[in-house]
């Protein structure tokens, strides 16, 4: 008997031709990697193998149930599409981070979760180059690591300078892999900056913070490079100021723009609840927003969003970023017109099919919505 005769058929043909597309997908956690003392990488696959093609730098939105409540949170894909049958996110445990803490403490191998995506305008496919400068701070390394992995794995000739800032040596994410990449190819130059080092730690790299003079020392040809930046908001603000000060062409500067849900989005529900209390007392003028599935409607003005309308009626439409990035608030426009100012959370194909993002769509006339 041939040895292969004893192997189940599904083991002989583990790969099919299905590919990933923006939408909701059930995935299974297949590996958890402890990157640093407070950072973990979670690796996912589909139950039936799917090729997870995406643009390096894009992200997914996790749909989780925490304490009996649905919670949505966006995370950049840290892996590269050059490893197509799985994808990974890398998460730092935050002291008051409900989702990051839950992931670190609860998500285990073989657990299944739902993800939405991939989406995002921050990527190295739409903004390609032959000379790249990656600037990252802390866990902001994840999207630029995906880009660097892609160019490394595909034997690209792109000239890469990778500059990462961390608090201490023990906080450097992906250090061994970055050092390996730098040792194996001559078009990848690594520079690490540590704010400080603790007692017992040794560090021979750059110390302190990224400054204009240090940036020009590391990348004297910065004006000729495409810059990809991600990190805490103060870090990215400082980088923009440095680049502007040296006369950098900011059309060649690209940064990750999502993070925790902004205060305006958090306050949206509270404001809508207050408005609902007085809605019956105020004569309503504006546009009628009808939710066909629920048989309910409300009048809002042209400065309010479709999502605000759903909140007023108590209709649950998921929302994570509040800025048209994550794509979790997608609904279908059955009739009428809206002004949608999104940030990459919806594809042109979905728009052609009539879908909109409720968090960043405002009515131009009476509209009907399918949730």
């Amino acid at each position: 008997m041939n040895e292969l005769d004893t192997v189940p058929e599904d083991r002989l043909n583990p790969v099919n031709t299905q590919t990933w597309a923006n939408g909701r997908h059930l995935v299974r956690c297949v590996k958890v990697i402890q990157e640093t003392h407070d950072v973990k990488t979670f690796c996912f696959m589909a139950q039936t193998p799917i090729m997870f093609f995406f643009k390096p730098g894009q992200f997914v939105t996790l749909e989780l149930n925490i304490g009996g409540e649905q919670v949505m949170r966006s995370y950049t894909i840290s892996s590269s599409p050059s490893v197509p049958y799985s994808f990974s996110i890398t998460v730092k445990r935050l002291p008051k981070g409900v989702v990051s803490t839950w992931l670190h403490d609860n998500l285990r191998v073989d657990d299944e979760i739902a993800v939405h995506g991939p989406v995002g305008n921050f990527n190295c496919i739409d903004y390609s180059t032959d000379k790249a400068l990656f600037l990252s701070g802390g866990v902001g390394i994840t999207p630029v690591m995906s880009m660097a992995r892609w160019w490394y794995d595909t034997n690209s000739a792109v000239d890469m300078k990778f500059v990462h800032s961390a608090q201490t040596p023990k906080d450097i994410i992906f250090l061994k892999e970055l050092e390996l990449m730098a040792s194996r190819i001559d078009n990848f130059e690594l520079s690490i900056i540590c704010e400080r080092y603790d007692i017992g730690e040794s560090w021979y790299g750059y110390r302190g913070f990224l400054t204009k003079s240090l940036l020009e020392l590391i990348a004297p040809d910065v004006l000729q490079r495409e810059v990809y930046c991600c990190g805490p908001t103060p870090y990215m603000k400082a980088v923009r100021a440095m680049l502007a000060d040296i006369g950098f062409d900011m059309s060649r500067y690209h940064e990750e723009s999502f993070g925790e849900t902004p205060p305006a989005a958090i306050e949206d529900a509270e404001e809508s609840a207050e408005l609902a209390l007085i809605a019956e007392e105020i004569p309503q003028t504006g546009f009628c927003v009808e939710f066909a599935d629920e048989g309910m409607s409300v009048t809002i003005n042209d400065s309010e969003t479709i999502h605000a309308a759903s909140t007023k009626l108590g209709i649950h439409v998921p929302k994570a970023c509040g800025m048209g990035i994550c794509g979790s608030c997608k609904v279908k426009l059955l009739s009428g017109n809206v002004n949608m100012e999104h940030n990459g959370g919806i594809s042109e194909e979905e728009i052609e099919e009539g879908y909109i993002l409720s968090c960043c769509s405002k009515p131009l006339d009476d509209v009907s919505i399918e949730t």
Side-chain angles (χ1 to χ4, degrees), residues 102-366:
W102 186 91
L103 290 171
H104 274 245
D105 292 344
N106 296 279
L107 189 59
R108 300 288 184 265
V109 171
D110 287 333
D111 287 350
E112 190 175 69
I113 65 170
V115 299
H116 299 254
V119 292
N121 292 330
F122 179 64
N123 64 82
C124 64
I125 301 299
D126 293 334
Y127 302 104
S128 59
T129 185
D130 58 357
K131 297 184 71 174
L133 173 59
F134 297 122
L135 300 175
S136 61
V139 78
I141 195 174
T142 56
V144 294
M145 189 64 181
S146 178
M147 298 178 194
R149 283 169 163 165
W150 167 251
W151 278 329
Y152 176 85
D153 289 344
T154 56
N155 295 310
S156 169
V158 173
D159 182 345
M160 295 177 276
K161 286 187 180 291
F162 198 106
V163 184
H164 179 64
S165 296
Q167 290 185 333
T168 71
K170 72 175 183 295
D171 295 305
I172 304 170
I173 306 169
F174 309 130
L175 177 59
K176 290 183 179 179
E177 183 178 354
L178 288 167
E179 291 177 334
L180 176 65
M181 293 165 66
S183 70
R184 290 180 63 86
I185 59 174
D186 58 9
N187 58 315
F188 184 87
E189 183 179 316
L190 176 65
S191 298
I192 304 288
I193 307 166
C194 284
E195 178 183 338
R196 66 182 190 279
Y197 58 93
D198 295 331
I199 296 174
E201 286 186 311
S202 60
W203 179 246
Y204 302 101
Y206 295 108
R207 286 180 288 177
F209 299 94
L210 179 64
T211 62
K212 184 177 69 170
S213 58
L214 182 54
L215 177 62
E216 292 178 313
L217 174 65
I218 293 172
D221 59 348
V222 58
L223 296 180
Q224 284 75 54
R225 291 182 177 271
E226 203 84 9
V227 175
Y228 306 88
C229 178
C230 187
T233 299
Y235 173 87
M236 293 192 292
K237 181 179 179 181
V239 168
R240 291 195 300 269
M242 290 178 214
L243 293 174
D245 196 41
I246 61 176
F248 184 79
D249 177 3
M250 296 304 287
S251 68
R252 303 188 68 191
Y253 171 83
H254 317 284
E255 70 176 28
E256 180 59 277
S257 58
F258 82 91
E260 293 295 322
T261 304
I266 296 174
E267 294 168 1
D268 180 59
E270 297 175 354
E271 294 175 357
S272 295
E274 293 175 3
L275 288 171
L277 292 175
I278 61 175
E280 296 181 358
E281 303 175 11
I282 301 177
Q284 295 296 303
T285 60
F287 301 122
C288 177
V289 179
E290 176 195 30
F291 291 87
D293 293 343
E294 291 78 9
M296 303 171 69
S297 63
V298 66
T299 299
I300 63 174
N301 59 52
D302 59 4
S303 66
E304 295 179 281
T305 65
I306 301 300
H307 198 279
S310 70
T311 303
K312 288 181 180 182
L313 294 172
I315 298 171
H316 176 66
V317 176
K319 183 176 72 170
C321 71
M323 298 180 288
I325 296 174
C326 72
S328 61
C329 65
K330 184 169 56 184
V331 295
K332 193 165 188 177
L333 180 65
L334 299 177
S335 65
N337 298 282
V338 299
N339 176 33
M340 178 170 61
E341 298 181 357
H342 68 91
N343 288 294
I346 189 169
S347 68
E348 291 300 322
E349 291 79 9
E350 289 171 321
I351 294 173
E352 290 177 3
E353 292 173 4
Y355 290 97
I356 62 172
L357 299 181
S358 61
C359 77
C360 57
S361 296
K362 299 176 181 178
L364 296 174
D365 49 30
D366 293 347

